[in-house]
Amino acid sequence: MPRRSIPGSSGGDEQLVRQLPALLRQHRPDLMVGEGLYRSPAGFASWSSHWAKAVAVELAQEHSEQIHDHVGLWGAMVCRWAR
């Protein structure tokens, strides 16, 4: 999906998402090994960004399992929709 600007979106949120790959490389380099396998076409979000988001979802799922939260990410999605 090509990049698009979202009216009223926070620049701070965009900056946080842009920092995610670097933060994960620093704190969980083991999970970022495959980050450089592919490249996104010009005008699309970077593969590195997609990879980092997938890792973040995986970490959230692992955390839910560790604390025996069986609703986990689905519960978070319901809260997101409600918000």
Side-chain angles (χ1 to χ4, degrees), residues 54-72:
V55 167
V57 169
E58 181 181 337
L59 289 172
Q61 185 175 7
E62 286 177 8
H63 175 73
S64 291
E65 290 171 0
Q66 287 172 357
I67 63 171
H68 304 290
D69 175 8
H70 303 292
V71 177

Side-chain angles (χ1 to χ4, degrees), residues 13-54:
D13 292 348
E14 182 177 343
Q15 184 178 8
L16 179 63
V17 171
R18 286 178 189 248
Q19 291 173 349
L20 185 59
L23 288 169
L24 286 169
R25 271 185 235 112
Q26 180 182 357
H27 295 284
R28 290 301 304 267
D30 57 314
L31 298 176
M32 294 301 287
V33 172
E35 166 187 27
L37 291 175
Y38 303 99
R39 289 182 52 144
S40 296
F44 287 77
S46 74
W47 178 257
S48 177
S49 177
H50 291 307
W51 188 271
K53 290 174 196 171

Side-chain angles (χ1 to χ4, degrees), residues 5-9:
S5 61
I6 300 170
S9 67

